Amino acid sequence: MSSISKTSSSSSNIVAVTNPVSYPYQVTAEDAFVVVNSTAPRTINLMNPAATGFRVIIKDGSGLANANAISIQGNGLTIDSAPDYVIADTYGSVVLIFNGVEWNIIN
């Protein structure tokens, strides 16, 4: 059984959407937009190593992160100098870009 569901297109305005079906979920180079079902606390592990300039968006797709936080782990790398980042707002999201040294929060 696959642990993810992905949709993509070759159009430059359409990004690959990943809907993990098992957690913790490991972000891969194919991920652009990860929609998390936060019906329970979830963990998302960022790539290490990652290509400089790699961007990923992580979103609470179920609107329940206020009760079931989404923990994003740097996986040995920092996220704006912290080991992790937590989405705890209803329908919250974060845009992350790897700068070659650490993950940066853009939004």
Side-chain angles (χ1 to χ4, degrees):
M1 175 182 220
S2 175
S3 65
I4 56 173
S5 167
K6 293 188 179 198
T7 306
S8 65
S9 173
S10 61
S11 173
S12 63
N13 289 329
I14 298 175
V15 299
V17 177
T18 302
N19 296 284
V21 294
S22 64
Y23 296 90
Y25 178 71
Q26 175 65 53
V27 172
T28 70
E30 290 79 34
D31 293 324
F33 183 45
V34 179
V35 181
V36 179
N37 174 350
S38 58
T39 55
R42 305 295 190 194
T43 299
I44 305 296
N45 295 311
L46 297 174
M47 294 185 317
N48 181 6
T52 299
F54 180 79
R55 178 184 66 180
V56 64
I57 303 165
I58 301 171
K59 168 83 175 160
D60 169 21
S62 60
L64 299 171
N66 60 327
N68 298 302
I70 301 165
S71 175
I72 302 165
Q73 300 296 311
N75 199 14
L77 298 169
T78 56
I79 303 168
D80 280 352
S81 298
D84 61 2
Y85 179 82
V86 176
I87 297 174
D89 295 326
T90 301
Y91 295 107
S93 64
V94 64
V95 178
L96 298 158
I97 297 179
F98 187 67
N99 70 12
V101 177
E102 73 170 353
W103 291 94
N104 293 132
I105 298 169
I106 303 304
N107 60 333

